[in-house]
Amino acid sequence: MNRKIICLLALLLAMGQSGCKKFLNVKPLDRLSGNAFLQDKKDVENYLWDNYGLLRDKLGSCPFLPNAGDVRSGMMAESPEEKGRDYVHYVSQNDLGTFISKRGNDGLYHWGELTRWEGFYKVIQAANVLYYEIGNRKITGLSDADKKRYRAEAVFLRCVSYWIMIRVWGDVPYYKEAYFSDPLPREKMVTVAKNCLDDLKSVKDDLPWVYAEPAFVGVRATKGALLALMMELDLWNAGFDKPNAKGYYQQAADMGNELVNSGQYQLLLLSDYRKLFQGRTKESLFEIAQNANYNEIIRFNTFSDFVLHFPYKRPVSTHQWSYSYYRASFLTMLFPTGQPDARVQYWFDENMLADNGDFQYLKFVNIYAITDNEDYNPDGNVILFRYADGILMLAEAEAELGHDAQALTALNLIRSRALANPLSGITGPVLKDAIFAERARELMGEGHYYFDLVRTGRIFNSKWCYYPLTQLQFDQGGWTWPLDASVQNQNPFVQLNTYWTK
């Protein structure tokens, strides 16, 4: 990254240590750098790359996505051989109070980052500033199309940050204006999602479907990524704003059909799964880049660290077992014996049903250390949205609208790629369960499962969640993550998640 721009961003985005006026207190760009900042197209490019980098930094600050989206469902368990690594034990049982009190900010993994949202607000504020400045500053070399695209990227970065936050913490303070520094109370997450949907819809035609520049593929916002984000927000709100659910499902279906009918993306052969998760493919919509050759590793955010052992992790003396495993009962429900599914062949080894540390999940294996003196996790990109996810969201939306034939068509696109038997003749709740199960199979380990449980209400069902919540626990916020009290230092209007303060 351009270190000069990083330093400027650090100043721009610095948040005060105390006092309500410093929650998002920033100085105008002119004060930071005279008239030398954001003067030409190169400046805008550098600023945008660094904004993407801020999102990468937050997601890589701790095992954010694996814990928030996969482990917490309870369908994974701590390996008996690795009981000292008790984070899987507590997180999988939704005992987050004990987990945070025991682990806190200590140790290698910086668990406290799961209870703080400051990093996301840095992304949001930087995006708000860029959107404002492009609309109000004369910048050399920018065409009207360039201005629209860059502003659309800013909107995407802001909204993807809010999408992540509302799934993890629920209601959040909502900022859209550049340079706004006054503290605000938490806004209802449904309202935040609605605001994001409106903003995304207004710029969705300003982004390209694909980029000609190889360096941009997968890691810069595209129209496909924006459509997927809109679908995610629609399906989230449909689960919480029941009176308006049909409208959300209809918009998700419209966005999904636009995505599929564009013909701009494709499902790779399953035998090419290593390429898929290495990143930058025709199936990718939006991902966070990693590359061991350039020492760009999101060390704390790789699902592989949880589910691999020697020879994929070394040295053998300390990596004889995987830290965790998927419960055999869950896997046999998803992959019944005798029913063909190439994902079993490619993504699991012979110890698929081990129910202990012998288990390995090979989905994200791309590279691994070649000497016993190294301990590298696979360096595939962290994929937030891919085409298969979009197709399955389309199937879900169509099924909820009662369009069973269209839902089955979308569902069978994914099953066909997996060489699984097509489904037919199923409707209603059976079809909806089949689509949910397909998402569980296809997106396993990609950080979606727990949030799918929450938004669909399956968080109450022991078939899908090993430690289900009661309705009372859910209503009190038991599905959220705790918030660290430090968030109140900069914004006294913020109320902590009450379920975790009891």
Side-chain angles (χ1 to χ4, degrees), residues 143-159:
S143 66
D144 288 343
D146 288 334
K147 291 178 182 177
K148 288 182 177 180
R149 176 168 67 86
Y150 288 134
R151 294 185 100 192
E153 284 190 81
V155 170
F156 176 85
L157 281 165
R158 178 175 71 223
C159 294

Side-chain angles (χ1 to χ4, degrees), residues 126-138:
N128 290 345
V129 166
L130 182 64
Y131 186 92
Y132 173 84
E133 292 296 335
I134 289 177
N136 291 275
R137 173 187 290 264
K138 185 176 180 179

Side-chain angles (χ1 to χ4, degrees), residues 251-438:
Q251 181 166 258
D254 292 343
M255 298 301 102
N257 280 309
E258 186 174 358
L259 178 69
V260 171
N261 293 336
S262 73
Q264 297 294 322
Y265 309 101
Q266 66 184 49
L267 296 173
L268 272 62
L269 294 174
L270 198 65
S271 56
D272 287 335
Y273 75 96
R274 291 176 186 267
K275 295 179 182 178
L276 170 59
F277 295 107
Q278 189 65 38
R280 302 175 188 269
T281 70
K282 291 286 286 184
E283 188 167 335
S284 172
L285 298 180
F286 184 63
E287 56 197 37
I288 309 297
Q290 294 192 94
N291 192 317
N293 293 326
Y294 297 99
N295 199 31
E296 294 177 349
I297 292 293
I298 305 176
R299 182 178 183 185
F300 299 126
N301 205 22
T302 59
F303 187 77
S304 301
D305 190 42
F306 287 47
V307 290
L308 291 177
H309 57 68
F310 183 86
Y312 300 102
K313 293 178 65 178
R314 301 194 179 207
V316 63
S317 60
T318 56
H319 292 99
Q320 299 178 54
W321 314 100
S322 293
Y323 298 156
S324 61
Y325 62 91
Y326 276 101
R327 298 179 188 275
S329 58
F330 182 57
L331 294 178
T332 53
M333 179 180 70
L334 294 181
F335 301 99
T337 303
Q339 295 189 18
D341 195 312
R343 288 168 292 202
V344 173
Q345 171 189 346
Y346 287 112
W347 294 351
F348 298 92
D349 66 7
E350 66 275 10
N351 293 320
M352 173 181 175
L353 304 179
D355 252 3
N356 57 37
D358 280 334
F359 172 89
Q360 292 200 95
Y361 188 49
L362 309 179
K363 184 178 184 179
F364 307 109
V365 169
N366 286 298
I367 68 163
Y368 54 90
I370 58 174
T371 79
D372 280 344
N373 297 320
E374 297 174 336
D375 178 14
Y376 289 149
N377 287 311
D379 75 338
N381 288 0
V382 177
I383 296 179
L384 294 186
F385 307 127
R386 60 183 174 99
Y387 187 44
D389 179 20
I391 291 173
L392 288 170
M393 286 192 288
L394 171 60
E396 180 180 340
E398 296 284 24
E400 292 290 348
L401 292 168
H403 304 159
D404 294 343
Q406 294 92 324
L408 279 167
T409 297
L411 172 62
N412 283 328
L413 287 175
I414 305 302
R415 293 186 61 79
S416 176
R417 195 261 292 271
L419 305 181
N421 294 330
L423 298 179
S424 62
I426 57 174
T427 61
V430 176
L431 174 57
K432 294 173 186 179
D433 271 356
I435 294 168
F436 186 85
E438 198 66 36

Side-chain angles (χ1 to χ4, degrees), residues 43-200:
D43 288 342
V44 176
E45 278 291 322
N46 286 333
Y47 188 105
L48 256 176
W49 277 119
D50 284 348
N51 202 357
Y52 284 101
L54 290 173
L55 179 62
R56 183 184 189 274
D57 289 346
K58 178 56 184 177
L59 291 178
S61 62
C62 66
F64 198 97
L65 293 175
N67 276 280
D70 290 290
V71 176
R72 196 172 170 196
S73 70
M75 303 324 244
M76 298 183 71
E78 178 186 34
S79 298
E81 301 84 1
E82 293 286 347
K83 280 196 174 297
R85 302 178 183 274
D86 54 13
Y87 47 84
V88 174
H89 171 76
Y90 290 115
V91 173
S92 67
Q93 295 186 38
N94 201 37
D95 189 3
L96 304 185
T98 302
F99 169 70
I100 295 299
S101 67
K102 284 175 65 72
R103 291 286 180 170
N105 302 323
D106 299 332
L108 181 65
Y109 292 98
H110 307 295
W111 295 107
E113 286 297 318
L114 273 161
T115 67
R116 294 191 293 268
W117 56 33
E118 179 184 6
F120 291 115
Y121 280 109
K122 290 182 179 180
V123 179
I124 290 166
Q125 180 67 328
N128 290 345
V129 166
L130 182 64
Y131 186 92
Y132 173 84
E133 292 296 335
I134 289 177
N136 291 275
R137 173 187 290 264
K138 185 176 180 179
I139 300 176
T140 304
L142 289 190
S143 66
D144 288 343
D146 288 334
K147 291 178 182 177
K148 288 182 177 180
R149 176 168 67 86
Y150 288 134
R151 294 185 100 192
E153 284 190 81
V155 170
F156 176 85
L157 281 165
R158 178 175 71 223
C159 294
V160 81
S161 298
Y162 279 126
W163 168 68
I164 294 170
M165 286 198 294
I166 64 176
R167 296 195 310 167
V168 175
W169 293 295
D171 301 341
V172 297
Y174 179 73
Y175 291 85
K176 183 177 174 180
E177 296 179 34
Y179 309 117
F180 189 92
S181 62
D182 291 340
L184 295 175
R186 296 172 72 170
E187 182 63 77
K188 295 294 184 183
M189 64 177 178
V190 168
T191 302
V192 173
K194 283 181 182 178
N195 292 340
C196 289
L197 284 166
D198 289 342
D199 291 342
L200 291 165

Side-chain angles (χ1 to χ4, degrees), residues 450-467:
Y450 183 76
F451 303 119
D452 286 349
L453 290 175
V454 170
R455 64 178 180 77
T456 65
R458 289 178 175 85
I459 192 74
F460 308 120
N461 190 334
S462 60
K463 175 182 178 180
W464 302 106
C465 183
Y466 202 79
Y467 298 99

